[in-house]
Amino acid sequence: MTLNKNTFVDYLDQFNVLSPNHSKIYDEYTYDKGKDSYVFKIETKAETYLCNLFLNNPQSIILTGNAGDGKTRLCRSVYNYFHQDGLVDWPESGILEVDFPHGKIRMVKDLSELKDEIILQELSRLQASINDNHADKIYYLIAANEGKLTKFLSQHEHLSSLKVEVKKRFKTYLENNSTFSVINLLDVTSSLYVEKVLDEWNKESNWSVCESCAKQKACIINLNHKRSSKDFVKNRLVEQYRFLDYLGTHITMREMLIHISYILTGGLTCTDVLDADYEALKYQIDKPYYENFYGNNAANEALSDMRAIKLFKELDPGRYSDSSIDDFILNGDISGNAQLEALHEGLFNSDLDLYLGYFKKRLDIYRNHNKESNDNLIEEWIERLRRKFYFEFPSEEFFNRTNLVPFKFVNIFDELFGDQRKQAISKRDLTRGLNRAFSKKLVDSNRELFSTSENLMIHSSIPISQMKISEEKQREDIDHRSSSFEITVGKTKLSLNLYVFEYLMRLSNGDTHNILKEDVEILLDTFRNELIKETETDPFVLNILRLDKENGLYVQDCIEILE
């Protein structure tokens, strides 16, 4: 066998924020730079939608989103759809036009890169074109940062009509019409792309050269590829991204690509592996994908540029203990259950990420000679082993893996999507949670919602039948998956993401409510105050919450004011 370098690993190194090859522009990663370049492209709904829109219902469009959301890439895709030669490089001006069947599409690569006088000129032309229903047959496609766009519109009074139209569309995409649309890529569901990237990057054709490399068994990069290629492991990586969707957190395409590249390589290259001595190998062994996912052992300067890792720290399964899982990790091979012992042997073996058998020796020392050796295996290893368990334990039969994440009710939240019956059932728990959140007391009611002030006065009692739970709608224009709900009582609404759901479910079950307590309580206080505003109280009846000393719970009581 020979020592082989994999050129695909060099491609992944472009996403390494500490690499001299790193580029901050997502568009630069994906288009063909020559016959020997690796071409990477994810098909997106937005791309298909934009091309079809210009072809069948031409209009002007502003694309907004964060840097790295793929706005420039979408502009390139539209250009290439209507121009057979394709776009190699953007002009220095950042503006170009392409002929298409209905006239011309005038593309602005990035509004924030232009001088103010040019921005004013282009937005003025856009406003006039919209007002004239594109009589000049020029249709705009503008990539813009939302903050820069809204600030600029606010500073120029004669752009007021465009400002009004943009503001309406930022409020809801349903205001888009056949003349003008704003497509906000912050509304894209991040997790929908993770599986596509993993499937694309883990194609065996990208890694076939590794099979004949003499260093394969000592290569953590190759191990990460093989592990993350397993369907159930890949699904659990996607699951973590899905949890971020539930929390209302958006990750840009660029942030995701940087993160997934780091999951696979840990910032290493083939040269690092091929040239590794004993000390370097010890360092590389600490780079399995489940450690890379949370940025463990990453350089501080790299962490500052990898936003995705910062977000996933909250979900790190290594930080949360579950007694049955921890017991399996430490004693599963001597449990007396043949099936569990086999699973333990398969999971905690002599592979590279477990120091080629060194962990098993440490485990034996810990169990049999701990007093003499003062072995600190738990302190050093338990968090790492929980992460490995979370992603690699192959069976869902014996343990609930999600006990290792800080959201106790995430499985229930996940099951609500597409299931109206479960949504209806959950109203009882949510009602009890809301009553306890409003009053700061243990209220014994899950059939009525009390709009209660903290002095325990009930301003209104709302039957649970009047509380509606609606699921966030899917969208056809972009890759958007339902990730939250909305509670509606009359005209008052409360957004229900995983943070709020977890908080209310914990209250409902008499548990502690320490998940983003302050942030969630601001939302709930606003919801309660809006309910109170809608209330017309009876001047001769005072409804209050009274302590039922026998049960230790607060119940509704009524005091009639006769005079």
Side-chain angles (χ1 to χ4, degrees):
M1 298 183 74
T2 59
L3 298 177
N4 296 331
K5 286 189 67 174
N6 186 342
T7 56
F8 179 70
V9 175
D10 290 335
Y11 166 79
L12 293 179
D13 192 49
Q14 294 179 90
F15 300 91
N16 177 4
V17 295
L18 297 183
S19 169
N21 299 321
H22 178 63
S23 170
K24 291 189 175 182
I25 305 174
Y26 163 60
D27 185 49
E28 298 303 317
Y29 293 136
T30 56
Y31 75 90
D32 193 351
K33 299 177 184 176
K35 65 178 182 178
D36 296 326
S37 66
Y38 173 77
V39 182
F40 168 62
K41 182 180 180 182
I42 298 176
E43 297 295 335
T44 67
K45 259 188 179 182
E47 179 180 336
T48 303
Y49 178 79
L50 283 172
C51 293
N52 288 338
L53 206 59
F54 279 116
L55 187 62
N56 301 313
N57 185 20
Q59 58 184 271
S60 286
I61 297 170
I62 293 179
L63 298 172
T64 67
N66 290 336
D69 267 319
K71 301 184 295 295
T72 304
R73 175 69 204 184
L74 288 172
C75 291
R76 178 187 294 276
S77 296
V78 172
Y79 182 94
N80 291 346
Y81 184 82
F82 291 109
H83 199 290
Q84 62 181 2
D85 292 338
L87 176 62
V88 177
D89 291 308
W90 286 91
E92 191 173 330
S93 67
I95 301 173
L96 56 78
E97 289 187 351
V98 59
D99 293 325
F100 80 124
H102 304 283
K104 291 181 182 293
I105 302 174
R106 186 168 176 83
M107 297 182 182
V108 179
K109 172 191 173 186
D110 188 344
L111 199 72
S112 62
E113 291 181 353
L114 306 181
K115 295 180 179 178
D116 283 359
E117 58 265 28
I118 303 299
I119 296 176
L120 180 59
Q121 173 185 303
E122 297 302 327
L123 292 182
S124 297
R125 288 183 62 182
L126 169 62
Q127 179 176 260
S129 191
I130 292 171
N131 291 339
D132 291 340
N133 198 22
H134 298 93
D136 56 2
K137 301 299 180 184
I138 294 179
Y139 302 85
Y140 269 90
L141 177 59
I142 298 176
N145 173 277
E146 178 181 345
K148 174 75 172 180
L149 175 64
T150 53
K151 181 180 179 181
F152 195 90
L153 291 173
S154 298
Q155 291 173 336
H156 295 82
E157 190 174 339
H158 75 275
L159 293 175
S160 58
S161 68
L162 180 60
K163 174 186 172 183
V164 169
E165 295 303 317
V166 168
K167 186 176 180 180
K168 287 194 300 185
R169 287 158 178 78
F170 274 135
K171 189 173 183 180
T172 170
Y173 75 97
L174 297 174
E175 289 288 344
N176 289 338
N177 57 32
S178 59
T179 302
F180 175 52
S181 293
V182 173
I183 297 176
N184 192 344
L185 297 179
L186 293 178
D187 294 333
V188 166
T189 304
S190 306
S191 65
L192 288 173
Y193 298 138
V194 179
E195 183 174 4
K196 294 179 181 180
V197 175
L198 286 169
D199 284 340
E200 174 67 27
W201 284 357
N202 277 326
K203 282 181 178 177
E204 287 307 316
S205 57
N206 296 329
W207 302 88
S208 57
V209 66
C210 300
E211 295 303 312
S212 59
C213 180
K215 282 279 190 112
Q216 182 189 16
K217 292 185 178 179
C219 179
I220 197 70
I221 301 174
N222 193 257
L223 179 141
N224 291 338
H225 152 62
K226 289 184 179 298
R227 296 277 176 82
S228 60
S229 296
K230 294 180 179 181
D231 283 342
F232 75 94
V233 174
K234 176 185 68 178
N235 291 340
R236 293 171 187 180
L237 294 169
V238 175
E239 176 184 75
Q240 285 273 294
Y241 269 85
R242 185 63 176 143
F243 290 165
L244 285 191
D245 295 341
Y246 291 159
L247 297 173
T249 302
H250 173 76
I251 290 181
T252 69
M253 182 72 77
R254 185 176 71 209
E255 290 167 340
M256 182 191 66
L257 294 176
I258 289 171
H259 185 224
I260 296 178
S261 170
Y262 188 77
I263 291 170
L264 293 173
T265 70
L268 303 170
T269 64
C270 289
T271 300
D272 295 321
V273 174
L274 297 177
D275 294 345
D277 57 15
Y278 176 74
E279 288 299 320
L281 179 60
K282 284 173 60 180
Y283 168 77
Q284 292 169 17
I285 285 175
D286 283 329
K287 296 281 189 175
Y289 72 94
Y290 51 82
E291 293 292 277
N292 298 339
F293 195 99
Y294 304 99
N296 299 312
N297 307 307
N300 289 333
E301 58 268 35
L303 289 176
S304 64
D305 288 330
M306 291 195 284
R307 176 174 171 267
I309 283 177
K310 297 177 187 177
L311 297 171
F312 282 114
K313 285 288 187 183
E314 181 182 6
L315 296 171
D316 183 354
R319 297 166 54 191
Y320 302 95
S321 175
D322 178 85
S323 58
S324 61
I325 292 175
D326 286 356
D327 182 62
F328 169 78
I329 289 172
L330 296 174
N331 302 301
D333 56 333
I334 55 174
S335 65
N337 182 315
Q339 206 172 348
L340 282 177
E341 289 178 357
L343 288 168
H344 190 280
E345 176 63 27
L347 188 61
F348 302 114
N349 48 36
S350 300
D351 280 348
L352 179 63
D353 59 323
L354 293 174
Y355 285 68
L356 301 169
Y358 177 61
F359 165 70
K360 295 188 73 173
K361 293 178 181 177
R362 287 285 300 275
L363 181 60
D364 180 67
I365 292 172
Y366 170 77
R367 285 200 300 233
N368 300 313
H369 311 286
N370 191 41
K371 290 182 180 179
E372 293 80 7
S373 68
N374 193 28
D375 195 283
N376 57 351
L377 175 136
I378 291 183
E379 182 180 342
E380 288 185 17
W381 284 82
I382 192 64
E383 290 192 5
R384 178 188 184 121
L385 299 177
R386 286 175 188 150
R387 296 180 192 108
K388 182 175 175 65
F389 176 93
Y390 180 88
F391 288 108
E392 294 186 14
F393 189 73
S395 173
E396 300 282 4
E397 177 184 353
F398 298 100
F399 305 101
N400 181 3
R401 288 179 306 103
T402 56
N403 284 347
L404 293 177
V405 295
F407 296 93
K408 295 173 58 177
F409 298 95
V410 65
N411 287 336
I412 296 175
F413 187 77
D414 181 70
E415 291 170 356
L416 296 181
F417 290 93
D419 194 325
Q420 293 185 348
R421 179 177 173 274
K422 288 185 177 178
Q423 292 172 23
I425 292 173
S426 73
K427 284 202 296 184
R428 292 195 291 270
D429 289 322
L430 293 172
T431 299
R432 183 188 293 111
L434 284 167
N435 283 333
R436 293 180 175 180
F438 290 169
S439 65
K440 306 297 188 290
K441 305 293 183 182
L442 290 177
V443 179
D444 185 24
S445 176
N446 64 356
R447 295 290 181 178
E448 291 179 295
L449 178 62
F450 302 136
S451 55
T452 315
S453 57
E454 292 189 25
N455 59 14
L456 303 187
M457 177 180 173
I458 299 174
H459 292 261
S460 64
S461 178
I462 304 160
I464 192 174
S465 60
Q466 294 182 23
M467 186 170 81
K468 309 296 182 186
I469 296 181
S470 55
E471 184 175 329
E472 182 187 18
K473 294 185 181 299
Q474 303 278 11
R475 287 176 58 174
E476 297 303 318
D477 55 339
I478 60 174
D479 291 293
H480 179 85
R481 184 180 178 189
S482 299
S483 303
S484 65
F485 300 88
E486 190 171 67
I487 294 176
T488 305
V489 179
K491 297 179 181 179
T492 307
K493 297 180 179 181
L494 172 69
S495 180
L496 185 70
N497 64 11
L498 180 56
Y499 280 129
V500 179
F501 184 80
E502 177 81 13
Y503 183 89
L504 293 177
M505 291 295 287
R506 289 191 180 202
L507 284 180
S508 179
N509 285 269
D511 203 346
T512 55
H513 45 277
N514 55 3
I515 297 293
L516 277 187
K517 183 175 185 290
E518 291 182 3
D519 291 9
V520 172
E521 285 192 348
I522 290 172
L523 290 175
L524 296 179
D525 286 346
T526 301
F527 181 55
R528 179 192 63 187
N529 293 338
E530 290 298 319
L531 288 175
I532 291 174
K533 283 182 186 178
E534 288 188 16
T535 303
E536 291 186 13
T537 56
D538 188 331
F540 302 105
V541 177
L542 182 64
N543 287 293
I544 61 169
L545 289 174
R546 172 182 57 81
L547 177 63
D548 182 344
K549 294 182 179 179
E550 186 174 335
N551 294 314
L553 298 171
Y554 282 78
V555 297
Q556 183 180 19
D557 206 347
C558 178
I559 301 173
E560 293 186 1
I561 303 172
L562 300 179
E563 294 184 2

